[in-house]
Amino acid sequence: PGLLLPQIFTLQEWLFQRFPPEQALMSEANKQLLLMEAIRQFPALFNTANAWLVTKELVGLFNECTLAQIPLNAGEEKFNSLLSQAYASPFDDLHNISRESEIIYRLWQAYIQQINAKNWLDPIQHYCDCLRQPIKLDEEQTLFMVGIHRLTFLESKFFTAIAGKVSLTIYYPQITNQQYVLEQHPLRKYCNEIDGATKNKEQRTFVLNTAYNNSIPAFERIEQIKSDCKENPFTNWLSLFTTNSIEKHVNAICLQTKQWLLEEKYPIGIVSSDRLLTRRIRAVLEDAGITADDLGGWALSTTSAATIVEILLDAIETNFRNEHLFDLLTNPFLADNYQHSTYLKQVNHLRHQVAGNRSVTRGGISPYISFIESGDPDTQNNELVDVLRNIQSASKTLLSFSYQNETELHQFAKQLQQLLIKINIASRLNDDEAGQILLSTLENSSQSIQDTTLQLSWKECRQWLQDLLEHSYFAPTQVDQRVTLCGFDHIDFMQFSAVIVAGVEQTRLHGTTGSRTFFNEKVRKELGLQTANEAEAIKFVRFRQLLAQNDNILLSAETECRGEAQEISPWIKVLELFSQQAFEQTLQNPILDYLLSQQQFNNSAVDPNATASRRPSPATPEDLLPPTVSATQYQTLIDCPYQYFAKYLLDITPEESADELDAAEFGRLVHQCLLEFHFDPAGKPKYRRIDLNANAHGALIDRLTEISTDVFARTAYPDAIKQGWLQRWLSNIPSYIDWSIDREEWQPQQGELVCSTALTTATTLQGQIDRLDTNNNNEAALIDYKTGTIASKTSVMQGETVQLPFYALLTDKLVRAEYLELGKAEGVTTKVSLNKQDLEELSHLHYQRLTQIINELSNNTLLPALGSGRVCELCNYQGFCRKAHWKELNSYNSNSSTQR
């Protein structure tokens, strides 16, 4: 009277029900750990390789070898002989074959010994044992095998054995024998013709079969399609969208998805081989309020729950350096445990108080606590101090692990779990959907590795955790079933009303197979392992079925990646060729291009009701004008008046991290090295001209090297960071000494010289000159040290770059000015050298322009945002000028640089 639904299993699950394992089954993660232990028994085999990456590849290889019944247990000599036959070629290096055989055989034996010692059972081996077992089946039982593209040797034997005992139907991929790359498909001998259900599908099947039938010349196939189809069959069925921007690519996919939803063309499938691209699409869809069903699962590593764990470990690894500590303190999984608004105010107040104070922002948590307790008792953040003390106390063990050479992995996992509990992050994770899965994953993994004695470095422990989170998944309970994100592995027998194949570039759609450490393609074929050609053929079959079964298809691609041109897949190129040659129409989708061009903004961070803003042009507030003008202020005023307004008149300074030795700090240190080399503490020159000669070359190099090492050592940056910058400078010292000796007529006179001169009654020009040299005629030469980008001489002569002419206004008897490029691999080089005539002409023009500018600023002149791309790229004030919201993005124009 009722309908009894079929039971659905994987073949492995079905067999495990009938032949339950008698021992504990080991997980894939445990296999990796056992292989890591095995690899460490043979350090000479992988003396330079990343053992963790090799381990992951070997787990997959051993699984394949077990399924293919490769006789790894038959002895090293037999295995070596098997490989030699597989590699058979007069050009093969027998020594390399023997070494590959030795590596795999030895690791396999060590791996098996580890499994036996722990009394575990490899589920792949148990599956193979089940396939060999005689199985009792009810003759009235009916079995269906679906969604299979490749049978191993044992699986083929198993199905052959049971086919005569029960009703067995195997649904193979429905493909024809003449399709593109079909000859490589593992199940090609079982394939049948496709049954056409509708007229449209019949036509599409004909078009696809013809287009992909490489046994017939292309021009004949084009004529076949042209004669059989009165109209272009691709119209209203298949289109292509290409762009050179990843943002535009993702936005186009999401826009097409929303358009189909409005037209009620769903379910919609978004299919991609690139998980990173899929994640970006999913994020943009979520911003639009569409929570797609992701069949690939949401990797825990991409969730905010996993992010807090990474932030916590980053903070411990850097001994709670400034930005890492505040990232931890402000994260909701920690901050939500406290009175949120009050607590965050305390954290932000502390952040601004200690900004740039390296004595506090380095050396762990204790300096922060001391800094707070040394402040005004009425304003002390007692709650924040308690939080810091709790983190400091709870993290002591993991902090000690980060300094050790190696730590037992199970202790690392155990201490991490305890830390999450002690600082109340675990309680918040329990309230989060992904957080619950994360805690469960950590608990299960910790239980599974508690018996292992494997010791790993801190970096390897973090790699283990990162791999665990990357390959653990969760599925949100609330998803929009109308939109499905998936890979090609998921699309067998799925039905969609509309499909987007995202990322049909050759690199994304086909992938690469050149990263295998063991066995080339020829050997894999000889050994019965899946080859790249077989995997490609399986993907093509799925791709071709996707095209044949769906009425609305969009193919999307990026034609450029990181400045490099990207080729579209040949599977798509052939369709574009047939559309153009047979019907003189392209597959390009013009509607998406138009719709995207109409969308100035396409993400939820922008208020859709907000009106576009205009380019800001505030009037100069006279009472805020500074009494002095420096070369940097002058340059900023020329680059962008609005940036000058925000930086120097409103005194808005973007917060900068003081925790990393960056290029600007490197330049400051090099300036200090040269100051101490040439001048004593009183500012007097150390060396006379006669002292800087070729005879003293070696001694001068040694002296400057000694000074430089001392200057860098006095900084509070981590040794690993500052040593890299120091070596960069030390490599330039011989070249700098050569340059100094070649300046025969010039004597270093003053360094870091502060100069000033009156421009108007209310304004003074002021600057600090890196170095001033003099000669026997009492003439002066100015040197400006540069460790970064240097402007061209054309830019200086046209008035765009102002520094050297500005300094000429501050000094007398100047006959030469130049930039000296330092810190480059090519050595020390003079750049943009200006002679006496250049300086006189330029300083006169700049004096006139500066006088005019100061007078205009005093009369409330406007200070517009110029929107120049070159300047905007390095500007920290775009959030103030709101350039992205301007109605017009045309740059501010002027007739000449001087006028501007």
Side-chain angles (χ1 to χ4, degrees), residues 299-301 306 309-310 438 464-472:
L300 281 178
S301 60
V309 177
E310 290 297 317
L438 184 142
W464 168 82
L465 178 63
Q466 185 178 13
D467 190 64
L468 176 68
L469 298 180
E470 183 67 24
H471 294 92
S472 301

Side-chain angles (χ1 to χ4, degrees), residues 149 175-176 178-183 185 208-209 211-214 488 491 509-510 533-547 569-572 574-575:
H149 281 265
I175 50 181
T176 62
Q178 296 181 337
Q179 289 178 347
Y180 185 56
V181 302
L182 179 60
E183 60 274 8
H185 196 281
L208 293 173
N209 287 346
Y212 291 125
N213 186 1
N214 287 341
F488 282 91
I491 63 175
L509 185 57
H510 303 275
N533 285 337
E534 288 181 345
E536 180 87 340
I538 292 172
K539 179 175 285 188
F540 173 76
V541 166
R542 287 170 165 155
F543 172 76
R544 188 223 173 278
Q545 283 184 299
L546 203 61
L547 298 186
S569 164
W571 298 348
I572 285 80
V574 69
L575 300 179

Side-chain angles (χ1 to χ4, degrees), residues 349-364:
H349 181 65
L350 177 63
R351 186 204 297 265
H352 290 295
Q353 282 185 311
V354 302
N357 188 341
R358 294 190 181 89
S359 63
V360 176
T361 58
R362 299 175 185 278

Side-chain angles (χ1 to χ4, degrees), residues 834-851:
L834 303 179
N835 58 31
K836 183 177 181 180
Q837 181 180 350
D838 293 334
L839 290 169
E840 288 177 349
E841 292 176 356
L842 286 172
S843 60
H844 175 68
L845 291 172
H846 280 280
Y847 177 83
Q848 289 181 322
R849 182 163 71 172
L850 271 167
T851 304

Side-chain angles (χ1 to χ4, degrees), residues 11 26 60 145 389 417-418 438 569 584 696 708 762 767 814 887:
L11 178 58
M26 61 190 303
M145 174 61 81
R389 288 191 189 280
Q417 287 178 282
Q418 292 181 359
L438 184 142
S569 164
E584 298 182 355
S708 300
L814 194 65
K887 284 184 178 180

Side-chain angles (χ1 to χ4, degrees), residues 510-522:
H510 303 275
T512 57
T513 58
S515 58
R516 288 196 180 112
T517 306
F518 304 100
F519 300 160
N520 61 30
E521 291 299 296
K522 176 179 179 295

Side-chain angles (χ1 to χ4, degrees), residues 465-529:
L465 178 63
Q466 185 178 13
D467 190 64
L468 176 68
L469 298 180
E470 183 67 24
H471 294 92
S472 301
Y473 304 94
F474 86 104
T477 55
Q478 300 295 326
V479 295
D480 191 335
Q481 297 288 349
R482 300 175 300 170
V483 181
T484 300
L485 292 164
C486 61
F488 282 91
D489 292 343
H490 305 107
I491 63 175
D492 288 330
F493 305 103
M494 292 191 69
Q495 299 292 326
F496 299 112
S497 293
V499 170
I500 299 173
V501 184
V504 295
E505 313 88 13
Q506 187 159 348
T507 51
R508 269 189 175 137
L509 185 57
H510 303 275
T512 57
T513 58
S515 58
R516 288 196 180 112
T517 306
F518 304 100
F519 300 160
N520 61 30
E521 291 299 296
K522 176 179 179 295
V523 174
R524 291 183 68 85
K525 185 174 182 179
E526 292 293 328
L527 295 178
L529 306 179

